[in-house]
mmCIF file of all heavy atoms in Angstrom:
data_model
loop_
_atom_site.group_PDB
_atom_site.id
_atom_site.type_symbol
_atom_site.label_atom_id
_atom_site.label_comp_id
_atom_site.label_asym_id
_atom_site.label_seq_id
_atom_site.Cartn_x
_atom_site.Cartn_y
_atom_site.Cartn_z
ATOM 1 N N ALA D 1 148.961 118.421 56.698
ATOM 2 C CA ALA D 1 147.964 118.411 55.623
ATOM 3 C C ALA D 1 147.538 116.973 55.377
ATOM 4 O O ALA D 1 148.251 116.035 55.731
ATOM 5 C CB ALA D 1 148.546 119.006 54.338
ATOM 6 N N LEU D 2 146.370 116.799 54.781
ATOM 7 C CA LEU D 2 145.909 115.472 54.386
ATOM 8 C C LEU D 2 146.167 115.320 52.895
ATOM 9 O O LEU D 2 145.684 116.115 52.087
ATOM 10 C CB LEU D 2 144.412 115.291 54.663
ATOM 11 C CG LEU D 2 143.853 113.915 54.291
ATOM 12 C CD1 LEU D 2 144.436 112.822 55.191
ATOM 13 C CD2 LEU D 2 142.331 113.909 54.373
ATOM 14 N N TYR D 3 146.951 114.290 52.546
ATOM 15 C CA TYR D 3 147.251 113.990 51.149
ATOM 16 C C TYR D 3 146.623 112.667 50.778
ATOM 17 O O TYR D 3 146.426 111.794 51.621
ATOM 18 C CB TYR D 3 148.757 113.879 50.936
ATOM 19 C CG TYR D 3 149.484 115.192 50.789
ATOM 20 C CD1 TYR D 3 148.856 116.423 50.918
ATOM 21 C CD2 TYR D 3 150.846 115.200 50.515
ATOM 22 C CE1 TYR D 3 149.548 117.606 50.775
ATOM 23 C CE2 TYR D 3 151.546 116.380 50.372
ATOM 24 C CZ TYR D 3 150.893 117.581 50.495
ATOM 25 O OH TYR D 3 151.581 118.759 50.354
ATOM 26 N N GLN D 4 146.327 112.514 49.481
ATOM 27 C CA GLN D 4 145.842 111.243 48.955
ATOM 28 C C GLN D 4 146.742 110.836 47.795
ATOM 29 O O GLN D 4 147.034 111.645 46.915
ATOM 30 C CB GLN D 4 144.395 111.345 48.475
ATOM 31 C CG GLN D 4 143.854 110.002 48.006
ATOM 32 C CD GLN D 4 142.406 110.066 47.564
ATOM 33 O OE1 GLN D 4 141.941 111.079 47.062
ATOM 34 N NE2 GLN D 4 141.704 108.962 47.736
ATOM 35 N N MET D 5 147.190 109.569 47.812
ATOM 36 C CA MET D 5 148.017 109.041 46.734
ATOM 37 C C MET D 5 147.190 108.993 45.448
ATOM 38 O O MET D 5 146.059 108.506 45.452
ATOM 39 C CB MET D 5 148.501 107.628 47.054
ATOM 40 C CG MET D 5 149.510 107.565 48.158
ATOM 41 S SD MET D 5 151.070 108.281 47.627
ATOM 42 C CE MET D 5 152.123 107.666 48.919
ATOM 43 N N THR D 6 147.757 109.481 44.345
ATOM 44 C CA THR D 6 147.016 109.532 43.086
ATOM 45 C C THR D 6 147.582 108.627 41.995
ATOM 46 O O THR D 6 146.913 108.391 40.996
ATOM 47 C CB THR D 6 146.961 110.971 42.541
ATOM 48 O OG1 THR D 6 148.299 111.452 42.372
ATOM 49 C CG2 THR D 6 146.189 111.875 43.493
ATOM 50 N N ASN D 7 148.826 108.160 42.157
ATOM 51 C CA ASN D 7 149.385 107.237 41.168
ATOM 52 C C ASN D 7 150.443 106.349 41.826
ATOM 53 O O ASN D 7 150.862 106.603 42.954
ATOM 54 C CB ASN D 7 149.941 107.970 39.938
ATOM 55 C CG ASN D 7 151.099 108.872 40.272
ATOM 56 O OD1 ASN D 7 152.039 108.487 40.966
ATOM 57 N ND2 ASN D 7 151.061 110.095 39.759
ATOM 58 N N GLU D 8 150.874 105.318 41.119
ATOM 59 C CA GLU D 8 151.820 104.349 41.676
ATOM 60 C C GLU D 8 153.224 104.905 41.877
ATOM 61 O O GLU D 8 154.049 104.280 42.528
ATOM 62 C CB GLU D 8 151.882 103.103 40.792
ATOM 63 C CG GLU D 8 150.631 102.275 40.846
ATOM 64 C CD GLU D 8 150.746 100.986 40.062
ATOM 65 O OE1 GLU D 8 151.805 100.724 39.462
ATOM 66 O OE2 GLU D 8 149.760 100.224 40.070
ATOM 67 N N ASN D 9 153.509 106.062 41.331
ATOM 68 C CA ASN D 9 154.835 106.672 41.475
ATOM 69 C C ASN D 9 154.925 107.626 42.658
ATOM 70 O O ASN D 9 155.949 108.266 42.863
ATOM 71 C CB ASN D 9 155.220 107.394 40.181
ATOM 72 C CG ASN D 9 155.323 106.433 39.034
ATOM 73 O OD1 ASN D 9 155.892 105.352 39.170
ATOM 74 N ND2 ASN D 9 154.758 106.791 37.901
ATOM 75 N N GLY D 10 153.858 107.760 43.424
ATOM 76 C CA GLY D 10 153.894 108.603 44.620
ATOM 77 C C GLY D 10 153.286 109.981 44.455
ATOM 78 O O GLY D 10 153.428 110.825 45.336
ATOM 79 N N GLY D 11 152.611 110.223 43.350
ATOM 80 C CA GLY D 11 151.931 111.500 43.172
ATOM 81 C C GLY D 11 150.812 111.652 44.203
ATOM 82 O O GLY D 11 150.167 110.677 44.572
ATOM 83 N N VAL D 12 150.636 112.867 44.705
ATOM 84 C CA VAL D 12 149.629 113.110 45.738
ATOM 85 C C VAL D 12 148.760 114.314 45.395
ATOM 86 O O VAL D 12 149.123 115.145 44.572
ATOM 87 C CB VAL D 12 150.274 113.347 47.128
ATOM 88 C CG1 VAL D 12 151.006 112.117 47.604
ATOM 89 C CG2 VAL D 12 151.210 114.539 47.100
ATOM 90 N N ASP D 13 147.620 114.367 46.078
ATOM 91 C CA ASP D 13 146.699 115.491 45.972
ATOM 92 C C ASP D 13 146.474 116.038 47.372
ATOM 93 O O ASP D 13 146.279 115.272 48.316
ATOM 94 C CB ASP D 13 145.372 115.015 45.374
ATOM 95 C CG ASP D 13 144.360 116.132 45.238
ATOM 96 O OD1 ASP D 13 144.756 117.251 44.848
ATOM 97 O OD2 ASP D 13 143.174 115.887 45.510
ATOM 98 N N ASP D 14 146.532 117.363 47.518
ATOM 99 C CA ASP D 14 146.211 118.008 48.793
ATOM 100 C C ASP D 14 144.685 118.025 48.898
ATOM 101 O O ASP D 14 144.014 118.793 48.214
ATOM 102 C CB ASP D 14 146.783 119.426 48.813
ATOM 103 C CG ASP D 14 146.478 120.194 50.079
ATOM 104 O OD1 ASP D 14 145.761 119.673 50.959
ATOM 105 O OD2 ASP D 14 146.965 121.335 50.197
ATOM 106 N N VAL D 15 144.141 117.147 49.729
ATOM 107 C CA VAL D 15 142.694 116.910 49.780
ATOM 108 C C VAL D 15 141.894 118.183 50.038
ATOM 109 O O VAL D 15 140.882 118.431 49.388
ATOM 110 C CB VAL D 15 142.362 115.832 50.837
ATOM 111 C CG1 VAL D 15 140.862 115.667 50.994
ATOM 112 C CG2 VAL D 15 143.017 114.505 50.458
ATOM 113 N N PHE D 16 142.349 119.008 50.965
ATOM 114 C CA PHE D 16 141.593 120.208 51.310
ATOM 115 C C PHE D 16 142.050 121.438 50.529
ATOM 116 O O PHE D 16 141.467 122.506 50.663
ATOM 117 C CB PHE D 16 141.664 120.474 52.815
ATOM 118 C CG PHE D 16 141.053 119.365 53.631
ATOM 119 C CD1 PHE D 16 141.823 118.630 54.516
ATOM 120 C CD2 PHE D 16 139.719 119.030 53.489
ATOM 121 C CE1 PHE D 16 141.273 117.595 55.261
ATOM 122 C CE2 PHE D 16 139.158 117.999 54.218
ATOM 123 C CZ PHE D 16 139.939 117.277 55.102
ATOM 124 N N GLY D 17 143.093 121.287 49.725
ATOM 125 C CA GLY D 17 143.563 122.374 48.863
ATOM 126 C C GLY D 17 144.008 123.620 49.597
ATOM 127 O O GLY D 17 143.988 124.706 49.046
ATOM 128 N N SER D 18 144.412 123.462 50.844
ATOM 129 C CA SER D 18 144.787 124.640 51.623
ATOM 130 C C SER D 18 146.206 124.549 52.171
ATOM 131 O O SER D 18 146.543 125.244 53.115
ATOM 132 C CB SER D 18 143.796 124.835 52.771
ATOM 133 O OG SER D 18 143.761 123.669 53.567
ATOM 134 N N ALA D 19 147.003 123.690 51.584
ATOM 135 C CA ALA D 19 148.394 123.502 51.997
ATOM 136 C C ALA D 19 148.470 123.105 53.474
ATOM 137 O O ALA D 19 147.561 122.458 53.981
ATOM 138 C CB ALA D 19 149.216 124.741 51.690
ATOM 139 N N TYR D 20 149.527 123.491 54.143
ATOM 140 C CA TYR D 20 149.752 123.070 55.528
ATOM 141 C C TYR D 20 149.038 123.997 56.503
ATOM 142 O O TYR D 20 148.953 125.199 56.286
ATOM 143 C CB TYR D 20 151.249 123.001 55.807
ATOM 144 C CG TYR D 20 151.887 121.907 55.004
ATOM 145 C CD1 TYR D 20 152.402 122.147 53.743
ATOM 146 C CD2 TYR D 20 151.926 120.602 55.494
ATOM 147 C CE1 TYR D 20 152.957 121.122 52.985
ATOM 148 C CE2 TYR D 20 152.472 119.574 54.745
ATOM 149 C CZ TYR D 20 152.980 119.837 53.498
ATOM 150 O OH TYR D 20 153.512 118.822 52.759
ATOM 151 N N MET D 21 148.507 123.390 57.569
ATOM 152 C CA MET D 21 147.723 124.125 58.558
ATOM 153 C C MET D 21 148.082 123.634 59.957
ATOM 154 O O MET D 21 148.908 122.737 60.099
ATOM 155 C CB MET D 21 146.230 123.926 58.282
ATOM 156 C CG MET D 21 145.782 122.476 58.371
ATOM 157 S SD MET D 21 144.108 122.175 57.745
ATOM 158 C CE MET D 21 144.411 122.021 56.002
ATOM 159 N N THR D 22 147.431 124.168 60.967
ATOM 160 C CA THR D 22 147.679 123.713 62.335
ATOM 161 C C THR D 22 147.061 122.333 62.540
ATOM 162 O O THR D 22 146.144 121.932 61.817
ATOM 163 C CB THR D 22 147.070 124.680 63.370
ATOM 164 O OG1 THR D 22 145.642 124.638 63.241
ATOM 165 C CG2 THR D 22 147.584 126.098 63.183
ATOM 166 N N LYS D 23 147.544 121.628 63.529
ATOM 167 C CA LYS D 23 147.000 120.306 63.846
ATOM 168 C C LYS D 23 145.533 120.407 64.237
ATOM 169 O O LYS D 23 144.723 119.567 63.854
ATOM 170 C CB LYS D 23 147.799 119.649 64.971
ATOM 171 C CG LYS D 23 149.185 119.230 64.537
ATOM 172 C CD LYS D 23 149.957 118.614 65.691
ATOM 173 C CE LYS D 23 151.364 118.275 65.262
ATOM 174 N NZ LYS D 23 152.154 117.713 66.357
ATOM 175 N N ARG D 24 145.165 121.407 64.982
ATOM 176 C CA ARG D 24 143.770 121.592 65.408
ATOM 177 C C ARG D 24 142.861 121.782 64.182
ATOM 178 O O ARG D 24 141.801 121.180 64.093
ATOM 179 C CB ARG D 24 143.666 122.793 66.346
ATOM 180 C CG ARG D 24 142.260 123.271 66.658
ATOM 181 C CD ARG D 24 141.497 122.484 67.663
ATOM 182 N NE ARG D 24 142.231 122.294 68.886
ATOM 183 C CZ ARG D 24 141.938 121.352 69.766
ATOM 184 N NH1 ARG D 24 140.913 120.552 69.563
ATOM 185 N NH2 ARG D 24 142.635 121.197 70.863
ATOM 186 N N ASP D 25 143.280 122.617 63.250
ATOM 187 C CA ASP D 25 142.471 122.867 62.056
ATOM 188 C C ASP D 25 142.324 121.582 61.240
ATOM 189 O O ASP D 25 141.209 121.232 60.819
ATOM 190 C CB ASP D 25 143.091 123.973 61.210
ATOM 191 C CG ASP D 25 142.197 124.446 60.080
ATOM 192 O OD1 ASP D 25 140.979 124.188 60.121
ATOM 193 O OD2 ASP D 25 142.714 125.092 59.147
ATOM 194 N N LEU D 26 143.422 120.851 61.043
ATOM 195 C CA LEU D 26 143.329 119.606 60.285
ATOM 196 C C LEU D 26 142.469 118.582 61.022
ATOM 197 O O LEU D 26 141.657 117.889 60.407
ATOM 198 C CB LEU D 26 144.717 119.035 59.999
ATOM 199 C CG LEU D 26 144.723 117.753 59.161
ATOM 200 C CD1 LEU D 26 144.045 117.965 57.812
ATOM 201 C CD2 LEU D 26 146.138 117.238 58.987
ATOM 202 N N TYR D 27 142.614 118.495 62.328
ATOM 203 C CA TYR D 27 141.811 117.564 63.134
ATOM 204 C C TYR D 27 140.315 117.827 62.915
ATOM 205 O O TYR D 27 139.548 116.909 62.665
ATOM 206 C CB TYR D 27 142.174 117.720 64.612
ATOM 207 C CG TYR D 27 141.366 116.875 65.550
ATOM 208 C CD1 TYR D 27 141.698 115.544 65.781
ATOM 209 C CD2 TYR D 27 140.269 117.404 66.225
ATOM 210 C CE1 TYR D 27 140.953 114.756 66.648
ATOM 211 C CE2 TYR D 27 139.523 116.630 67.096
ATOM 212 C CZ TYR D 27 139.871 115.309 67.305
ATOM 213 O OH TYR D 27 139.135 114.524 68.168
ATOM 214 N N ASN D 28 139.923 119.081 62.970
ATOM 215 C CA ASN D 28 138.508 119.432 62.766
ATOM 216 C C ASN D 28 138.038 119.067 61.358
ATOM 217 O O ASN D 28 136.925 118.570 61.176
ATOM 218 C CB ASN D 28 138.283 120.916 63.044
ATOM 219 C CG ASN D 28 138.414 121.247 64.507
ATOM 220 O OD1 ASN D 28 138.206 120.403 65.377
ATOM 221 N ND2 ASN D 28 138.789 122.488 64.804
ATOM 222 N N ARG D 29 138.885 119.285 60.371
ATOM 223 C CA ARG D 29 138.523 118.938 58.996
ATOM 224 C C ARG D 29 138.437 117.427 58.805
ATOM 225 O O ARG D 29 137.560 116.940 58.086
ATOM 226 C CB ARG D 29 139.527 119.534 58.016
ATOM 227 C CG ARG D 29 139.438 121.053 57.945
ATOM 228 C CD ARG D 29 140.470 121.605 57.001
ATOM 229 N NE ARG D 29 140.524 123.052 57.086
ATOM 230 C CZ ARG D 29 140.742 123.837 56.053
ATOM 231 N NH1 ARG D 29 140.941 123.328 54.854
ATOM 232 N NH2 ARG D 29 140.791 125.138 56.205
ATOM 233 N N LEU D 30 139.354 116.682 59.433
ATOM 234 C CA LEU D 30 139.312 115.221 59.332
ATOM 235 C C LEU D 30 138.041 114.670 59.959
ATOM 236 O O LEU D 30 137.412 113.751 59.417
ATOM 237 C CB LEU D 30 140.541 114.595 60.000
ATOM 238 C CG LEU D 30 141.889 114.866 59.339
ATOM 239 C CD1 LEU D 30 143.011 114.253 60.177
ATOM 240 C CD2 LEU D 30 141.932 114.361 57.922
ATOM 241 N N ARG D 31 137.648 115.221 61.086
ATOM 242 C CA ARG D 31 136.402 114.780 61.737
ATOM 243 C C ARG D 31 135.201 115.059 60.836
ATOM 244 O O ARG D 31 134.318 114.218 60.688
ATOM 245 C CB ARG D 31 136.225 115.490 63.088
ATOM 246 C CG ARG D 31 137.308 115.254 64.115
ATOM 247 C CD ARG D 31 137.056 114.081 64.949
ATOM 248 N NE ARG D 31 135.682 114.093 65.397
ATOM 249 C CZ ARG D 31 135.265 113.651 66.541
ATOM 250 N NH1 ARG D 31 136.119 113.166 67.394
ATOM 251 N NH2 ARG D 31 133.992 113.659 66.874
ATOM 252 N N ALA D 32 135.172 116.231 60.218
ATOM 253 C CA ALA D 32 134.073 116.569 59.309
ATOM 254 C C ALA D 32 134.085 115.643 58.084
ATOM 255 O O ALA D 32 133.031 115.184 57.632
ATOM 256 C CB ALA D 32 134.181 118.028 58.873
ATOM 257 N N PHE D 33 135.265 115.341 57.563
ATOM 258 C CA PHE D 33 135.406 114.433 56.419
ATOM 259 C C PHE D 33 134.836 113.067 56.782
ATOM 260 O O PHE D 33 134.080 112.481 56.008
ATOM 261 C CB PHE D 33 136.884 114.324 56.064
ATOM 262 C CG PHE D 33 137.172 113.539 54.817
ATOM 263 C CD1 PHE D 33 137.423 114.184 53.627
ATOM 264 C CD2 PHE D 33 137.211 112.154 54.830
ATOM 265 C CE1 PHE D 33 137.708 113.476 52.472
ATOM 266 C CE2 PHE D 33 137.494 111.424 53.686
ATOM 267 C CZ PHE D 33 137.739 112.095 52.492
ATOM 268 N N LEU D 34 135.177 112.576 57.969
ATOM 269 C CA LEU D 34 134.673 111.271 58.420
ATOM 270 C C LEU D 34 133.160 111.269 58.547
ATOM 271 O O LEU D 34 132.488 110.324 58.124
ATOM 272 C CB LEU D 34 135.287 110.919 59.770
ATOM 273 C CG LEU D 34 136.449 109.946 59.765
ATOM 274 C CD1 LEU D 34 137.008 109.768 61.167
ATOM 275 C CD2 LEU D 34 136.077 108.627 59.156
ATOM 276 N N GLU D 35 132.610 112.305 59.143
ATOM 277 C CA GLU D 35 131.164 112.395 59.292
ATOM 278 C C GLU D 35 130.476 112.404 57.936
ATOM 279 O O GLU D 35 129.469 111.744 57.738
ATOM 280 C CB GLU D 35 130.777 113.640 60.098
ATOM 281 C CG GLU D 35 131.089 113.519 61.562
ATOM 282 C CD GLU D 35 130.402 112.356 62.231
ATOM 283 O OE1 GLU D 35 129.185 112.148 62.006
ATOM 284 O OE2 GLU D 35 131.082 111.629 62.970
ATOM 285 N N GLY D 36 131.034 113.148 56.979
ATOM 286 C CA GLY D 36 130.447 113.195 55.644
ATOM 287 C C GLY D 36 130.569 111.874 54.894
ATOM 288 O O GLY D 36 129.707 111.523 54.101
ATOM 289 N N SER D 37 131.636 111.126 55.171
ATOM 290 C CA SER D 37 131.859 109.839 54.501
ATOM 291 C C SER D 37 130.916 108.754 54.994
ATOM 292 O O SER D 37 130.632 107.801 54.282
ATOM 293 C CB SER D 37 133.303 109.371 54.719
ATOM 294 O OG SER D 37 134.191 110.259 54.126
ATOM 295 N N ARG D 38 130.422 108.904 56.192
ATOM 296 C CA ARG D 38 129.551 107.896 56.780
ATOM 297 C C ARG D 38 128.123 108.016 56.299
ATOM 298 O O ARG D 38 127.346 107.091 56.400
ATOM 299 C CB ARG D 38 129.579 107.992 58.308
ATOM 300 C CG ARG D 38 130.910 107.572 58.860
ATOM 301 C CD ARG D 38 130.917 107.693 60.341
ATOM 302 N NE ARG D 38 132.226 107.332 60.848
ATOM 303 C CZ ARG D 38 132.657 107.592 62.037
ATOM 304 N NH1 ARG D 38 131.874 108.234 62.886
ATOM 305 N NH2 ARG D 38 133.859 107.231 62.425
ATOM 306 N N ASN D 39 127.744 109.172 55.807
ATOM 307 C CA ASN D 39 126.354 109.407 55.392
ATOM 308 C C ASN D 39 126.106 109.016 53.980
ATOM 309 O O ASN D 39 126.839 108.844 53.157
ATOM 310 C CB ASN D 39 125.974 110.880 55.608
ATOM 311 C CG ASN D 39 126.026 111.220 57.079
ATOM 312 O OD1 ASN D 39 125.809 110.361 57.920
ATOM 313 N ND2 ASN D 39 126.336 112.456 57.385
#
């Protein structure tokens, strides 16, 4: 899963809100996230 740190004590947020998934599924989502971040 992709997590983002939310506070200095180590709190995290599940970025895609879908818990743990396959590497292929996360890879595709990360690529889409990158493409959206560049625009």
Side-chain angles (χ1 to χ4, degrees):
L2 181 67
Y3 279 4
Q4 184 178 31
M5 290 290 195
T6 58
N7 64 48
E8 290 185 0
N9 297 316
V12 296
D13 180 41
D14 179 357
V15 175
F16 298 117
S18 57
Y20 293 91
M21 61 191 83
T22 66
K23 290 179 183 178
R24 169 78 52 199
D25 189 18
L26 182 58
Y27 177 83
N28 290 334
R29 291 178 189 216
L30 293 176
R31 299 272 314 214
F33 186 100
L34 260 176
E35 287 301 315
S37 296
R38 291 179 182 165
N39 296 331

